[in-house]
């Protein structure tokens, strides 16, 4: 199984919005609404921020939103804040009953 | 609040077996609706799913690691474990245990991670 494709890096200024894409295939992202997103600060464990494409766990800021079109899922962060600077990973359940992650995107808040 | 904590040797020699345990607190590993999973992250790289176990003992592994991986559960201790055999330097990584919500196929709670280095 190949990793999902994410941009290596994105950047934005405080207050701006950014979008991170996550491209897979019809066997993972396109075939299921089981796409989730994780935020990882340096030296820390990943934290769930979006599940089932567009749902936020309790306690996660509504500045984080998710969507999907075809084989590509997207994470949008609006009103960028310095604390959003982190690595972001997408994940999808697959047709072979496994999970696949994206390669990760480093978000820099300028 | 569910908490997971990995434990085990931080250094393993090449060709030997890596063994880690994840202790779950704040919830029972025997409660239905959850899988218990291992995920690893090579230094400076992305995440790789290793496999999961259900409290009943049923397992599913990443096909790329299947021949070397065994995940087991001890419900009496509220723990699950990972064994990875015939390790090489390519298995050097931070290993995380995580809870999977079966219905939503999401990883909602993670351990802090433990670095395992394979070196002689």
């Amino acid at each position: 199984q190949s990793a999902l494709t994410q941009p290596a890096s994105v950047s934005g200024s405080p207050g701006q919005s950014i979008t991170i894409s996550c491209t897979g295939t019809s066997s993972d992202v396109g075939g299921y609404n089981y796409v989730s997103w994780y935020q990882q600060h340096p030296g820390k464990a990943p934290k769930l921020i979006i599940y089932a494409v567009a749902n936020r766990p309790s306690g996660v800021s509504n500045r984080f939103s998710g969507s999907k079109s075809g084989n590509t899922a997207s994470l949008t962060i609006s009103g960028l804040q310095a604390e959003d600077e982190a690595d972001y990973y997408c994940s999808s359940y697959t047709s072979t009953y496994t999970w696949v992650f994206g390669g990760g995107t480093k978000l820099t808040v300028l | 609040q569910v908490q997971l904590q990995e434990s085990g040797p931080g250094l393993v020699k090449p060709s030997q077996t890596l063994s880690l345990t994840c202790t779950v607190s704040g919830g029972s590993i025997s409660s239905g609706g959850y899988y218990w999973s291992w995920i690893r992250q090579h230094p400076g790289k992305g995440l790789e799913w290793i496999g999961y176990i259900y409290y009943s003992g049923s397992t599913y592994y990443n096909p790329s690691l299947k021949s070397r991986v065994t995940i087991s559960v001890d419900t009496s201790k509220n723990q699950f474990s990972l064994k990875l055999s015939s390790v090489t330097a390519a298995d050097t990584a931070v290993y995380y245990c995580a809870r999977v919500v079966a219905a939503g196929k999401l990883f909602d709670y993670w351990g802090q991670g433990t670095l395992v280095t394979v070196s002689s």
Side-chain angles (χ1 to χ4, degrees), chain A residues 1 34 38 40 44-46 48 51 89 93 96-99 101, chain B residues 41 45-47 49 52 60 62 96 100 103-107 110-111:
Chain A
Q1 59 192 31
Y34 292 135
Y38 301 87
Q40 186 179 36
K44 300 294 187 181
L48 176 69
Y51 68 94
Y89 293 91
Y93 188 63
T96 54
Y97 313 107
T98 61
W99 280 263
F101 287 91
Chain B
Q41 185 170 33
K45 302 294 185 182
L47 300 164
W49 177 74
Y52 74 75
Y60 209 88
N62 185 327
Y96 294 99
V100 185
K105 307 294 190 286
L106 58 105
F107 303 91
W110 297 64

PDB file of all heavy atoms in Angstrom, chain A residues 1 34 38 40 44-46 48 51 89 93 96-99 101, chain B residues 41 45-47 49 52 60 62 96 100 103-107 110-111:
ATOM      1  N   GLN A   1       0.845  -1.185   0.000  1.00  0.00           N
ATOM      2  CA  GLN A   1       0.000   0.000   0.000  1.00  0.00           C
ATOM      3  C   GLN A   1       0.886   1.243   0.000  1.00  0.00           C
ATOM      4  O   GLN A   1       1.849   1.326   0.749  1.00  0.00           O
ATOM      5  CB  GLN A   1      -0.906  -0.004   1.224  1.00  0.00           C
ATOM      6  CG  GLN A   1      -0.156  -0.034   2.542  1.00  0.00           C
ATOM      7  CD  GLN A   1      -1.081  -0.324   3.711  1.00  0.00           C
ATOM      8  OE1 GLN A   1      -2.067  -1.018   3.562  1.00  0.00           O
ATOM      9  NE2 GLN A   1      -0.741   0.172   4.890  1.00  0.00           N
ATOM     10  N   TYR A  34     -13.695   7.452   5.825  1.00  0.00           N
ATOM     11  CA  TYR A  34     -12.915   7.197   7.028  1.00  0.00           C
ATOM     12  C   TYR A  34     -11.571   7.922   6.956  1.00  0.00           C
ATOM     13  O   TYR A  34     -10.525   7.360   7.276  1.00  0.00           O
ATOM     14  CB  TYR A  34     -12.682   5.708   7.212  1.00  0.00           C
ATOM     15  CG  TYR A  34     -13.925   4.913   7.543  1.00  0.00           C
ATOM     16  CD1 TYR A  34     -14.180   3.703   6.892  1.00  0.00           C
ATOM     17  CD2 TYR A  34     -14.834   5.360   8.493  1.00  0.00           C
ATOM     18  CE1 TYR A  34     -15.312   2.958   7.192  1.00  0.00           C
ATOM     19  CE2 TYR A  34     -15.964   4.623   8.798  1.00  0.00           C
ATOM     20  CZ  TYR A  34     -16.201   3.422   8.146  1.00  0.00           C
ATOM     21  OH  TYR A  34     -17.310   2.697   8.446  1.00  0.00           O
ATOM     22  N   TYR A  38      -4.422  14.364  11.766  1.00  0.00           N
ATOM     23  CA  TYR A  38      -3.713  14.407  13.043  1.00  0.00           C
ATOM     24  C   TYR A  38      -2.704  15.548  13.025  1.00  0.00           C
ATOM     25  O   TYR A  38      -2.046  15.789  12.018  1.00  0.00           O
ATOM     26  CB  TYR A  38      -3.002  13.071  13.295  1.00  0.00           C
ATOM     27  CG  TYR A  38      -3.979  11.919  13.302  1.00  0.00           C
ATOM     28  CD1 TYR A  38      -4.334  11.286  12.117  1.00  0.00           C
ATOM     29  CD2 TYR A  38      -4.592  11.504  14.477  1.00  0.00           C
ATOM     30  CE1 TYR A  38      -5.275  10.264  12.091  1.00  0.00           C
ATOM     31  CE2 TYR A  38      -5.534  10.482  14.471  1.00  0.00           C
ATOM     32  CZ  TYR A  38      -5.870   9.882  13.273  1.00  0.00           C
ATOM     33  OH  TYR A  38      -6.804   8.871  13.262  1.00  0.00           O
ATOM     34  N   GLN A  40       0.684  17.012  14.894  1.00  0.00           N
ATOM     35  CA  GLN A  40       1.816  16.550  15.709  1.00  0.00           C
ATOM     36  C   GLN A  40       2.822  17.672  15.936  1.00  0.00           C
ATOM     37  O   GLN A  40       3.444  18.136  14.981  1.00  0.00           O
ATOM     38  CB  GLN A  40       2.505  15.351  15.059  1.00  0.00           C
ATOM     39  CG  GLN A  40       3.592  14.744  15.940  1.00  0.00           C
ATOM     40  CD  GLN A  40       4.272  13.538  15.302  1.00  0.00           C
ATOM     41  OE1 GLN A  40       4.478  13.496  14.091  1.00  0.00           O
ATOM     42  NE2 GLN A  40       4.626  12.544  16.121  1.00  0.00           N
ATOM     43  N   LYS A  44       6.080  15.222  20.266  1.00  0.00           N
ATOM     44  CA  LYS A  44       4.804  14.823  20.863  1.00  0.00           C
ATOM     45  C   LYS A  44       4.114  13.761  20.025  1.00  0.00           C
ATOM     46  O   LYS A  44       4.449  13.541  18.857  1.00  0.00           O
ATOM     47  CB  LYS A  44       3.884  16.035  20.997  1.00  0.00           C
ATOM     48  CG  LYS A  44       4.444  17.148  21.860  1.00  0.00           C
ATOM     49  CD  LYS A  44       4.583  16.718  23.305  1.00  0.00           C
ATOM     50  CE  LYS A  44       4.986  17.884  24.183  1.00  0.00           C
ATOM     51  NZ  LYS A  44       5.150  17.480  25.603  1.00  0.00           N
ATOM     52  N   ALA A  45       3.121  13.121  20.627  1.00  0.00           N
ATOM     53  CA  ALA A  45       2.321  12.150  19.901  1.00  0.00           C
ATOM     54  C   ALA A  45       1.324  12.874  19.000  1.00  0.00           C
ATOM     55  O   ALA A  45       0.920  14.011  19.294  1.00  0.00           O
ATOM     56  CB  ALA A  45       1.580  11.242  20.873  1.00  0.00           C
ATOM     57  N   PRO A  46       0.910  12.248  17.917  1.00  0.00           N
ATOM     58  CA  PRO A  46      -0.136  12.837  17.083  1.00  0.00           C
ATOM     59  C   PRO A  46      -1.421  13.025  17.888  1.00  0.00           C
ATOM     60  O   PRO A  46      -1.721  12.264  18.803  1.00  0.00           O
ATOM     61  CB  PRO A  46      -0.325  11.801  15.975  1.00  0.00           C
ATOM     62  CG  PRO A  46       0.974  11.079  15.905  1.00  0.00           C
ATOM     63  CD  PRO A  46       1.437  11.006  17.328  1.00  0.00           C
ATOM     64  N   LEU A  48      -5.635  13.704  17.299  1.00  0.00           N
ATOM     65  CA  LEU A  48      -6.742  13.679  16.352  1.00  0.00           C
ATOM     66  C   LEU A  48      -7.421  15.037  16.291  1.00  0.00           C
ATOM     67  O   LEU A  48      -7.815  15.590  17.325  1.00  0.00           O
ATOM     68  CB  LEU A  48      -7.758  12.616  16.793  1.00  0.00           C
ATOM     69  CG  LEU A  48      -9.041  12.490  15.979  1.00  0.00           C
ATOM     70  CD1 LEU A  48      -8.742  11.929  14.588  1.00  0.00           C
ATOM     71  CD2 LEU A  48     -10.048  11.619  16.713  1.00  0.00           C
ATOM     72  N   TYR A  51     -12.092  13.681  12.063  1.00  0.00           N
ATOM     73  CA  TYR A  51     -12.374  12.284  11.756  1.00  0.00           C
ATOM     74  C   TYR A  51     -13.586  12.205  10.834  1.00  0.00           C
ATOM     75  O   TYR A  51     -14.359  13.156  10.737  1.00  0.00           O
ATOM     76  CB  TYR A  51     -12.578  11.465  13.032  1.00  0.00           C
ATOM     77  CG  TYR A  51     -13.827  11.816  13.813  1.00  0.00           C
ATOM     78  CD1 TYR A  51     -15.010  11.124  13.615  1.00  0.00           C
ATOM     79  CD2 TYR A  51     -13.816  12.854  14.747  1.00  0.00           C
ATOM     80  CE1 TYR A  51     -16.154  11.444  14.325  1.00  0.00           C
ATOM     81  CE2 TYR A  51     -14.947  13.188  15.457  1.00  0.00           C
ATOM     82  CZ  TYR A  51     -16.118  12.476  15.248  1.00  0.00           C
ATOM     83  OH  TYR A  51     -17.248  12.799  15.948  1.00  0.00           O
ATOM     84  N   TYR A  89      -0.860  15.131   9.508  1.00  0.00           N
ATOM     85  CA  TYR A  89      -0.935  13.863   8.780  1.00  0.00           C
ATOM     86  C   TYR A  89      -2.388  13.497   8.505  1.00  0.00           C
ATOM     87  O   TYR A  89      -3.235  13.607   9.392  1.00  0.00           O
ATOM     88  CB  TYR A  89      -0.307  12.736   9.602  1.00  0.00           C
ATOM     89  CG  TYR A  89       1.182  12.870   9.808  1.00  0.00           C
ATOM     90  CD1 TYR A  89       1.695  13.536  10.910  1.00  0.00           C
ATOM     91  CD2 TYR A  89       2.072  12.330   8.885  1.00  0.00           C
ATOM     92  CE1 TYR A  89       3.069  13.659  11.093  1.00  0.00           C
ATOM     93  CE2 TYR A  89       3.439  12.446   9.060  1.00  0.00           C
ATOM     94  CZ  TYR A  89       3.929  13.116  10.168  1.00  0.00           C
ATOM     95  OH  TYR A  89       5.286  13.246  10.343  1.00  0.00           O
ATOM     96  N   TYR A  93      -8.735   4.638   6.116  1.00  0.00           N
ATOM     97  CA  TYR A  93      -8.961   3.202   6.134  1.00  0.00           C
ATOM     98  C   TYR A  93      -8.957   2.743   4.678  1.00  0.00           C
ATOM     99  O   TYR A  93      -9.260   3.522   3.771  1.00  0.00           O
ATOM    100  CB  TYR A  93     -10.297   2.910   6.798  1.00  0.00           C
ATOM    101  CG  TYR A  93     -10.577   1.460   7.061  1.00  0.00           C
ATOM    102  CD1 TYR A  93      -9.775   0.721   7.932  1.00  0.00           C
ATOM    103  CD2 TYR A  93     -11.662   0.819   6.470  1.00  0.00           C
ATOM    104  CE1 TYR A  93     -10.045  -0.614   8.196  1.00  0.00           C
ATOM    105  CE2 TYR A  93     -11.935  -0.507   6.732  1.00  0.00           C
ATOM    106  CZ  TYR A  93     -11.127  -1.224   7.591  1.00  0.00           C
ATOM    107  OH  TYR A  93     -11.395  -2.539   7.848  1.00  0.00           O
ATOM    108  N   THR A  96      -8.309  -3.030   2.002  1.00  0.00           N
ATOM    109  CA  THR A  96      -7.654  -4.251   2.485  1.00  0.00           C
ATOM    110  C   THR A  96      -7.654  -4.316   4.011  1.00  0.00           C
ATOM    111  O   THR A  96      -6.845  -5.024   4.602  1.00  0.00           O
ATOM    112  CB  THR A  96      -6.210  -4.339   1.957  1.00  0.00           C
ATOM    113  OG1 THR A  96      -5.505  -3.134   2.307  1.00  0.00           O
ATOM    114  CG2 THR A  96      -6.201  -4.511   0.448  1.00  0.00           C
ATOM    115  N   TYR A  97      -8.562  -3.560   4.630  1.00  0.00           N
ATOM    116  CA  TYR A  97      -8.764  -3.592   6.083  1.00  0.00           C
ATOM    117  C   TYR A  97      -7.536  -3.110   6.844  1.00  0.00           C
ATOM    118  O   TYR A  97      -7.236  -3.579   7.935  1.00  0.00           O
ATOM    119  CB  TYR A  97      -9.154  -5.000   6.561  1.00  0.00           C
ATOM    120  CG  TYR A  97     -10.233  -5.629   5.712  1.00  0.00           C
ATOM    121  CD1 TYR A  97      -9.935  -6.664   4.835  1.00  0.00           C
ATOM    122  CD2 TYR A  97     -11.535  -5.149   5.760  1.00  0.00           C
ATOM    123  CE1 TYR A  97     -10.914  -7.220   4.041  1.00  0.00           C
ATOM    124  CE2 TYR A  97     -12.519  -5.710   4.957  1.00  0.00           C
ATOM    125  CZ  TYR A  97     -12.202  -6.736   4.101  1.00  0.00           C
ATOM    126  OH  TYR A  97     -13.161  -7.284   3.308  1.00  0.00           O
ATOM    127  N   THR A  98      -6.814  -2.203   6.224  1.00  0.00           N
ATOM    128  CA  THR A  98      -5.629  -1.615   6.851  1.00  0.00           C
ATOM    129  C   THR A  98      -5.792  -0.101   6.873  1.00  0.00           C
ATOM    130  O   THR A  98      -6.790   0.429   6.390  1.00  0.00           O
ATOM    131  CB  THR A  98      -4.353  -1.976   6.069  1.00  0.00           C
ATOM    132  OG1 THR A  98      -4.460  -1.444   4.729  1.00  0.00           O
ATOM    133  CG2 THR A  98      -4.141  -3.479   5.979  1.00  0.00           C
ATOM    134  N   TRP A  99      -4.821   0.570   7.463  1.00  0.00           N
ATOM    135  CA  TRP A  99      -4.805   2.023   7.463  1.00  0.00           C
ATOM    136  C   TRP A  99      -3.552   2.500   6.727  1.00  0.00           C
ATOM    137  O   TRP A  99      -2.496   1.860   6.799  1.00  0.00           O
ATOM    138  CB  TRP A  99      -4.752   2.583   8.891  1.00  0.00           C
ATOM    139  CG  TRP A  99      -6.065   2.601   9.579  1.00  0.00           C
ATOM    140  CD1 TRP A  99      -6.927   3.657   9.683  1.00  0.00           C
ATOM    141  CD2 TRP A  99      -6.684   1.517  10.281  1.00  0.00           C
ATOM    142  NE1 TRP A  99      -8.037   3.293  10.396  1.00  0.00           N
ATOM    143  CE2 TRP A  99      -7.914   1.988  10.778  1.00  0.00           C
ATOM    144  CE3 TRP A  99      -6.318   0.194  10.524  1.00  0.00           C
ATOM    145  CZ2 TRP A  99      -8.784   1.196  11.510  1.00  0.00           C
ATOM    146  CZ3 TRP A  99      -7.171  -0.607  11.257  1.00  0.00           C
ATOM    147  CH2 TRP A  99      -8.384  -0.104  11.743  1.00  0.00           C
ATOM    148  N   PHE A 101      -1.285   6.188   5.985  1.00  0.00           N
ATOM    149  CA  PHE A 101      -1.094   7.589   6.364  1.00  0.00           C
ATOM    150  C   PHE A 101      -0.464   8.359   5.211  1.00  0.00           C
ATOM    151  O   PHE A 101       0.180   7.783   4.322  1.00  0.00           O
ATOM    152  CB  PHE A 101      -0.155   7.694   7.572  1.00  0.00           C
ATOM    153  CG  PHE A 101      -0.771   7.249   8.869  1.00  0.00           C
ATOM    154  CD1 PHE A 101      -0.656   5.926   9.287  1.00  0.00           C
ATOM    155  CD2 PHE A 101      -1.452   8.142   9.677  1.00  0.00           C
ATOM    156  CE1 PHE A 101      -1.212   5.511  10.483  1.00  0.00           C
ATOM    157  CE2 PHE A 101      -2.012   7.739  10.881  1.00  0.00           C
ATOM    158  CZ  PHE A 101      -1.889   6.421  11.283  1.00  0.00           C
TER     159      PHE A 101
ATOM    160  N   GLN B  41       6.961   5.551  13.685  1.00  0.00           N
ATOM    161  CA  GLN B  41       7.387   6.744  12.948  1.00  0.00           C
ATOM    162  C   GLN B  41       8.909   6.729  12.883  1.00  0.00           C
ATOM    163  O   GLN B  41       9.581   6.923  13.909  1.00  0.00           O
ATOM    164  CB  GLN B  41       6.879   8.019  13.635  1.00  0.00           C
ATOM    165  CG  GLN B  41       7.173   9.294  12.888  1.00  0.00           C
ATOM    166  CD  GLN B  41       6.446  10.492  13.489  1.00  0.00           C
ATOM    167  OE1 GLN B  41       6.230  10.574  14.699  1.00  0.00           O
ATOM    168  NE2 GLN B  41       6.043  11.432  12.641  1.00  0.00           N
ATOM    169  N   LYS B  45      10.344  11.097   9.714  1.00  0.00           N
ATOM    170  CA  LYS B  45       9.476  10.613   8.643  1.00  0.00           C
ATOM    171  C   LYS B  45       8.017  10.558   9.074  1.00  0.00           C
ATOM    172  O   LYS B  45       7.649  10.984  10.165  1.00  0.00           O
ATOM    173  CB  LYS B  45       9.939   9.217   8.202  1.00  0.00           C
ATOM    174  CG  LYS B  45      11.378   9.159   7.734  1.00  0.00           C
ATOM    175  CD  LYS B  45      11.601   9.945   6.466  1.00  0.00           C
ATOM    176  CE  LYS B  45      13.015   9.777   5.949  1.00  0.00           C
ATOM    177  NZ  LYS B  45      13.248  10.586   4.717  1.00  0.00           N
ATOM    178  N   GLY B  46       7.202   9.985   8.197  1.00  0.00           N
ATOM    179  CA  GLY B  46       5.779   9.888   8.461  1.00  0.00           C
ATOM    180  C   GLY B  46       5.410   8.678   9.301  1.00  0.00           C
ATOM    181  O   GLY B  46       6.257   7.952   9.803  1.00  0.00           O
ATOM    182  N   LEU B  47       4.107   8.474   9.438  1.00  0.00           N
ATOM    183  CA  LEU B  47       3.558   7.418  10.281  1.00  0.00           C
ATOM    184  C   LEU B  47       3.303   6.155   9.465  1.00  0.00           C
ATOM    185  O   LEU B  47       2.909   6.220   8.300  1.00  0.00           O
ATOM    186  CB  LEU B  47       2.252   7.902  10.916  1.00  0.00           C
ATOM    187  CG  LEU B  47       2.379   9.154  11.797  1.00  0.00           C
ATOM    188  CD1 LEU B  47       1.004   9.767  12.038  1.00  0.00           C
ATOM    189  CD2 LEU B  47       3.051   8.801  13.119  1.00  0.00           C
ATOM    190  N   TRP B  49       1.303   2.396   9.932  1.00  0.00           N
ATOM    191  CA  TRP B  49       0.464   1.519  10.735  1.00  0.00           C
ATOM    192  C   TRP B  49       1.058   0.116  10.745  1.00  0.00           C
ATOM    193  O   TRP B  49       1.408  -0.421   9.702  1.00  0.00           O
ATOM    194  CB  TRP B  49      -0.954   1.501  10.166  1.00  0.00           C
ATOM    195  CG  TRP B  49      -1.883   0.580  10.874  1.00  0.00           C
ATOM    196  CD1 TRP B  49      -2.444   0.758  12.105  1.00  0.00           C
ATOM    197  CD2 TRP B  49      -2.349  -0.683  10.398  1.00  0.00           C
ATOM    198  NE1 TRP B  49      -3.246  -0.317  12.421  1.00  0.00           N
ATOM    199  CE2 TRP B  49      -3.200  -1.217  11.387  1.00  0.00           C
ATOM    200  CE3 TRP B  49      -2.143  -1.416   9.236  1.00  0.00           C
ATOM    201  CZ2 TRP B  49      -3.845  -2.444  11.245  1.00  0.00           C
ATOM    202  CZ3 TRP B  49      -2.786  -2.631   9.083  1.00  0.00           C
ATOM    203  CH2 TRP B  49      -3.619  -3.147  10.088  1.00  0.00           C
ATOM    204  N   TYR B  52      -3.261  -4.216  14.507  1.00  0.00           N
ATOM    205  CA  TYR B  52      -4.132  -4.023  15.657  1.00  0.00           C
ATOM    206  C   TYR B  52      -4.586  -5.367  16.211  1.00  0.00           C
ATOM    207  O   TYR B  52      -4.474  -6.404  15.559  1.00  0.00           O
ATOM    208  CB  TYR B  52      -5.351  -3.164  15.304  1.00  0.00           C
ATOM    209  CG  TYR B  52      -6.433  -3.850  14.478  1.00  0.00           C
ATOM    210  CD1 TYR B  52      -7.311  -4.777  15.033  1.00  0.00           C
ATOM    211  CD2 TYR B  52      -6.596  -3.526  13.140  1.00  0.00           C
ATOM    212  CE1 TYR B  52      -8.295  -5.379  14.279  1.00  0.00           C
ATOM    213  CE2 TYR B  52      -7.589  -4.130  12.371  1.00  0.00           C
ATOM    214  CZ  TYR B  52      -8.432  -5.048  12.940  1.00  0.00           C
ATOM    215  OH  TYR B  52      -9.410  -5.655  12.192  1.00  0.00           O
ATOM    216  N   TYR B  60      -4.969  -8.037  13.011  1.00  0.00           N
ATOM    217  CA  TYR B  60      -4.769  -7.729  11.602  1.00  0.00           C
ATOM    218  C   TYR B  60      -3.494  -6.919  11.489  1.00  0.00           C
ATOM    219  O   TYR B  60      -3.279  -5.996  12.268  1.00  0.00           O
ATOM    220  CB  TYR B  60      -5.952  -6.954  11.013  1.00  0.00           C
ATOM    221  CG  TYR B  60      -6.121  -7.234   9.541  1.00  0.00           C
ATOM    222  CD1 TYR B  60      -6.899  -8.295   9.103  1.00  0.00           C
ATOM    223  CD2 TYR B  60      -5.479  -6.452   8.590  1.00  0.00           C
ATOM    224  CE1 TYR B  60      -7.035  -8.579   7.760  1.00  0.00           C
ATOM    225  CE2 TYR B  60      -5.608  -6.730   7.243  1.00  0.00           C
ATOM    226  CZ  TYR B  60      -6.383  -7.789   6.832  1.00  0.00           C
ATOM    227  OH  TYR B  60      -6.509  -8.072   5.499  1.00  0.00           O
ATOM    228  N   ASN B  62      -0.238  -5.015   9.035  1.00  0.00           N
ATOM    229  CA  ASN B  62       0.213  -4.413   7.793  1.00  0.00           C
ATOM    230  C   ASN B  62       0.889  -5.519   6.961  1.00  0.00           C
ATOM    231  O   ASN B  62       1.819  -6.149   7.439  1.00  0.00           O
ATOM    232  CB  ASN B  62       1.198  -3.283   8.101  1.00  0.00           C
ATOM    233  CG  ASN B  62       1.624  -2.507   6.875  1.00  0.00           C
ATOM    234  OD1 ASN B  62       1.738  -3.049   5.784  1.00  0.00           O
ATOM    235  ND2 ASN B  62       1.868  -1.228   7.062  1.00  0.00           N
ATOM    236  N   TYR B  96       4.404   3.963  18.668  1.00  0.00           N
ATOM    237  CA  TYR B  96       3.246   4.438  19.410  1.00  0.00           C
ATOM    238  C   TYR B  96       2.214   3.325  19.532  1.00  0.00           C
ATOM    239  O   TYR B  96       2.003   2.561  18.581  1.00  0.00           O
ATOM    240  CB  TYR B  96       2.566   5.593  18.673  1.00  0.00           C
ATOM    241  CG  TYR B  96       3.363   6.863  18.551  1.00  0.00           C
ATOM    242  CD1 TYR B  96       4.054   7.164  17.381  1.00  0.00           C
ATOM    243  CD2 TYR B  96       3.395   7.793  19.592  1.00  0.00           C
ATOM    244  CE1 TYR B  96       4.764   8.350  17.250  1.00  0.00           C
ATOM    245  CE2 TYR B  96       4.102   8.982  19.470  1.00  0.00           C
ATOM    246  CZ  TYR B  96       4.787   9.249  18.298  1.00  0.00           C
ATOM    247  OH  TYR B  96       5.480  10.426  18.180  1.00  0.00           O
ATOM    248  N   VAL B 100      -8.154   2.554  18.613  1.00  0.00           N
ATOM    249  CA  VAL B 100      -8.905   2.774  17.385  1.00  0.00           C
ATOM    250  C   VAL B 100     -10.398   2.645  17.673  1.00  0.00           C
ATOM    251  O   VAL B 100     -10.833   1.637  18.231  1.00  0.00           O
ATOM    252  CB  VAL B 100      -8.522   1.744  16.299  1.00  0.00           C
ATOM    253  CG1 VAL B 100      -9.238   2.063  14.989  1.00  0.00           C
ATOM    254  CG2 VAL B 100      -7.022   1.702  16.088  1.00  0.00           C
ATOM    255  N   ALA B 103     -15.908   1.867  14.915  1.00  0.00           N
ATOM    256  CA  ALA B 103     -16.986   2.357  14.048  1.00  0.00           C
ATOM    257  C   ALA B 103     -16.491   3.448  13.104  1.00  0.00           C
ATOM    258  O   ALA B 103     -16.919   3.521  11.964  1.00  0.00           O
ATOM    259  CB  ALA B 103     -18.140   2.870  14.895  1.00  0.00           C
ATOM    260  N   GLY B 104     -15.605   4.291  13.595  1.00  0.00           N
ATOM    261  CA  GLY B 104     -15.153   5.418  12.794  1.00  0.00           C
ATOM    262  C   GLY B 104     -13.780   5.255  12.193  1.00  0.00           C
ATOM    263  O   GLY B 104     -13.327   6.098  11.435  1.00  0.00           O
ATOM    264  N   LYS B 105     -13.119   4.119  12.539  1.00  0.00           N
ATOM    265  CA  LYS B 105     -11.802   3.827  11.977  1.00  0.00           C
ATOM    266  C   LYS B 105     -10.835   4.985  12.228  1.00  0.00           C
ATOM    267  O   LYS B 105     -10.061   5.385  11.349  1.00  0.00           O
ATOM    268  CB  LYS B 105     -11.902   3.550  10.476  1.00  0.00           C
ATOM    269  CG  LYS B 105     -12.906   2.482  10.105  1.00  0.00           C
ATOM    270  CD  LYS B 105     -12.500   1.125  10.626  1.00  0.00           C
ATOM    271  CE  LYS B 105     -13.371   0.008  10.059  1.00  0.00           C
ATOM    272  NZ  LYS B 105     -14.720  -0.022  10.657  1.00  0.00           N
ATOM    273  N   LEU B 106     -10.854   5.529  13.454  1.00  0.00           N
ATOM    274  CA  LEU B 106      -9.985   6.638  13.788  1.00  0.00           C
ATOM    275  C   LEU B 106      -9.172   6.313  15.036  1.00  0.00           C
ATOM    276  O   LEU B 106      -9.578   5.526  15.888  1.00  0.00           O
ATOM    277  CB  LEU B 106     -10.822   7.900  14.030  1.00  0.00           C
ATOM    278  CG  LEU B 106     -11.867   7.755  15.149  1.00  0.00           C
ATOM    279  CD1 LEU B 106     -11.419   8.485  16.396  1.00  0.00           C
ATOM    280  CD2 LEU B 106     -13.211   8.290  14.691  1.00  0.00           C
ATOM    281  N   PHE B 107      -8.012   6.937  15.133  1.00  0.00           N
ATOM    282  CA  PHE B 107      -7.117   6.749  16.272  1.00  0.00           C
ATOM    283  C   PHE B 107      -7.357   7.903  17.245  1.00  0.00           C
ATOM    284  O   PHE B 107      -6.915   9.022  16.985  1.00  0.00           O
ATOM    285  CB  PHE B 107      -5.655   6.741  15.811  1.00  0.00           C
ATOM    286  CG  PHE B 107      -5.366   5.688  14.774  1.00  0.00           C
ATOM    287  CD1 PHE B 107      -5.474   5.984  13.423  1.00  0.00           C
ATOM    288  CD2 PHE B 107      -4.988   4.416  15.144  1.00  0.00           C
ATOM    289  CE1 PHE B 107      -5.213   5.016  12.451  1.00  0.00           C
ATOM    290  CE2 PHE B 107      -4.723   3.436  14.188  1.00  0.00           C
ATOM    291  CZ  PHE B 107      -4.846   3.742  12.835  1.00  0.00           C
ATOM    292  N   TRP B 110      -3.568   8.197  21.926  1.00  0.00           N
ATOM    293  CA  TRP B 110      -2.224   7.732  21.605  1.00  0.00           C
ATOM    294  C   TRP B 110      -1.355   7.723  22.856  1.00  0.00           C
ATOM    295  O   TRP B 110      -1.527   8.550  23.764  1.00  0.00           O
ATOM    296  CB  TRP B 110      -1.557   8.659  20.595  1.00  0.00           C
ATOM    297  CG  TRP B 110      -2.214   8.758  19.261  1.00  0.00           C
ATOM    298  CD1 TRP B 110      -3.459   9.247  18.976  1.00  0.00           C
ATOM    299  CD2 TRP B 110      -1.637   8.396  18.006  1.00  0.00           C
ATOM    300  NE1 TRP B 110      -3.695   9.202  17.629  1.00  0.00           N
ATOM    301  CE2 TRP B 110      -2.592   8.691  16.999  1.00  0.00           C
ATOM    302  CE3 TRP B 110      -0.410   7.851  17.620  1.00  0.00           C
ATOM    303  CZ2 TRP B 110      -2.362   8.454  15.643  1.00  0.00           C
ATOM    304  CZ3 TRP B 110      -0.163   7.640  16.268  1.00  0.00           C
ATOM    305  CH2 TRP B 110      -1.137   7.935  15.293  1.00  0.00           C
ATOM    306  N   GLY B 111      -0.408   6.791  22.894  1.00  0.00           N
ATOM    307  CA  GLY B 111       0.623   6.854  23.912  1.00  0.00           C
ATOM    308  C   GLY B 111       1.618   7.947  23.549  1.00  0.00           C
ATOM    309  O   GLY B 111       1.541   8.533  22.468  1.00  0.00           O
TER     310      GLY B 111
END
